[in-house]
Amino acid sequence: MRWKRTIQLLDVHCEGEIGRVAIGGVPKIPGETVAAQLHWLNTDPKGHELRRFLCLEPRGAPIGSVNLLLPAKHPDADAAFVILQPDQAHASSGSNSICATTALLEAGIVEMKEPETVVTLETAAGLVKALATCRDGRCEKVKLTMVPSFVHELDVKLQTPAWGEITLDLCYGGIFYGLVDVRQVGLAIEKANAAALVRAGMVLKALINEQLPVVHPEIPAISGVAYVMFRDTEADGTVRTCTTMWPGRADRSPCGTGNSANLAALHARGKVKVGDMFRSRSIIGSQFEVGLAAETTVAGKPAIIPTIAGRGFTFGLHQVALDPFDPLSDGFAMTDVWGPSAGEI
């Protein structure tokens, strides 16, 4: 073969959300820290090239993420990783942490020990501890101890052309979220409403980032609201979520970082305390267990340590390659599949 580049991907999904894991052929990513590597991926032309190669057509797709496994920088970490999505590289993700843990164990990169294996993941947002329940060579379930999550501001007023004034919470759960009670946009979190929810989420995200800039107080590489997560509460107390993602799709999982951000909001309002646990249900009905492990601080602000538990499943193994003569090496996106936001790619 005359391929210019090859990367081996283990196909994994977490509660329906695809998080492919690059387990071989990942190029060296410059940076002394994972946050610096994240910054390089988001600012250097070669970083953009790698993301487009893996995330855009004809090799990629609008649904799912690609997780780059990297050598750990922190002495306590088993592996580091950065999440690639069509828009940019992201610092943290609960579903992708579960996918990465499942891949590390089931591919034999980290030794699997039964009945439980602890895997420490290094992200640009900090260390994530993964407690994997293992049996018969399979990773059955993963419980994550997430990075500290905190409220940036509650009950923020946002003027919108379509819905008038809406109220949202700006919170951090490994990345920044705009958390919006879904009934404010006249919708319910149901599969039939996925396209309408995504359109609303893309509009709100743009308005939020125009009007409400946010930067992590200790990690400048993490800035801006990455996603809008719509939320609701079902009759049995289960939190229902739909995280909307650029260029226009819905997270299939309940969303780990989004639930971490929402947990910080619930804690700030006195609705949860240390030791509490509840279920969060996604737009497709899959579930995470969400817990509040501890209270802490970030740059002097009150913060919490969330836990997220869910399942990852491997479903394939493939190698993606680049023909040096391919005129579409830079990748592309079409509005017929990717939606109107594809015009920004």
Side-chain angles (χ1 to χ4, degrees):
M1 295 290 184
R2 60 188 183 186
W3 291 334
K4 179 181 177 182
R5 166 185 284 161
T6 61
I7 295 179
Q8 190 176 49
L9 300 175
L10 184 60
D11 299 325
V12 192
H13 78 83
C14 171
E15 304 295 351
E17 176 68 11
I18 295 171
R20 292 184 168 90
V21 181
I23 60 174
V26 177
K28 184 178 180 181
I29 307 299
E32 294 300 314
T33 66
V34 182
Q37 291 175 308
L38 174 76
H39 179 73
W40 182 87
L41 285 163
N42 280 330
T43 57
D44 192 276
K46 290 184 178 179
H48 294 310
E49 179 184 295
L50 178 63
R51 173 179 51 80
R52 295 177 69 94
F53 167 66
L54 291 170
C55 295
L56 297 189
E57 294 183 68
R59 288 157 292 273
I63 302 300
S65 307
V66 174
N67 299 294
L68 296 182
L69 286 184
L70 304 170
K73 306 285 188 181
H74 195 286
D76 295 335
D78 295 293
F81 80 108
V82 173
I83 303 105
L84 298 184
Q85 291 178 353
D87 60 338
Q88 65 180 76
H90 290 273
S92 184
S93 164
S95 66
N96 283 293
S97 293
I98 291 173
C99 288
T101 301
T102 302
L104 287 165
L105 293 174
E106 295 195 3
I109 299 170
V110 172
E111 182 184 0
M112 181 184 291
K113 299 175 182 178
E114 300 183 10
E116 292 181 334
T117 308
V118 174
V119 180
T120 301
L121 301 170
E122 186 177 7
T123 76
L127 296 181
V128 174
K129 176 184 172 183
L131 177 64
T133 302
C134 305
R135 184 171 60 179
D136 299 330
R138 180 172 166 267
C139 179
E140 291 188 324
K141 186 176 182 180
V142 179
K143 181 179 180 181
L144 305 171
T145 301
M146 302 289 280
V147 300
S149 301
F150 58 85
V151 168
H152 178 77
E153 188 175 355
L154 296 178
D155 298 321
V156 180
K157 306 299 182 185
L158 184 73
Q159 298 298 325
T160 73
W163 308 285
E165 184 179 87
I166 70 164
T167 302
L168 61 100
D169 296 333
L170 284 177
C171 298
Y172 176 84
I175 46 182
F176 283 104
Y177 278 83
L179 304 171
V180 178
D181 293 337
V182 71
R183 298 177 194 276
Q184 293 185 95
V185 296
L187 295 169
I189 299 175
E190 299 173 355
K191 285 192 287 186
N193 293 335
L197 287 164
V198 164
R199 285 193 295 270
M202 293 301 95
V203 169
L204 291 174
K205 178 188 171 183
L207 290 171
I208 292 167
N209 281 321
E210 286 170 7
Q211 300 177 31
L212 304 165
V214 289
V215 180
H216 193 285
E218 296 179 342
I219 312 171
I222 303 176
S223 64
V225 167
Y227 309 120
V228 167
M229 186 176 88
F230 293 110
R231 61 190 178 187
D232 203 354
T233 304
E234 299 185 349
D236 64 357
T238 300
V239 173
R240 186 88 167 185
T241 69
C242 177
T243 294
T244 56
M245 313 175 79
W246 197 92
R249 73 176 189 89
D251 190 342
R252 273 64 173 158
S253 82
C255 189
T257 46
N259 266 293
S260 297
N262 191 47
L263 190 68
L266 290 170
H267 178 260
R269 290 191 169 99
K271 294 184 176 181
V272 293
K273 61 183 185 304
V274 173
D276 284 352
M277 184 170 291
F278 60 86
R279 291 189 181 276
S280 178
R281 188 169 293 132
S282 76
I283 192 170
I284 66 168
S286 57
Q287 296 187 145
F288 280 164
E289 295 171 359
V290 182
L292 204 169
E295 297 173 339
T296 185
T297 59
V298 172
K301 296 170 65 76
I304 59 162
I305 304 294
T307 63
I308 303 289
R311 301 167 299 171
F313 301 90
T314 59
F315 62 93
L317 177 67
H318 75 280
Q319 186 167 259
V320 61
L322 181 62
D323 185 325
F325 299 98
D326 187 347
L328 300 175
S329 61
D330 197 40
F332 65 90
M334 293 281 287
T335 57
D336 60 337
V337 173
W338 295 68
S341 296
E344 302 172 38
I345 295 177

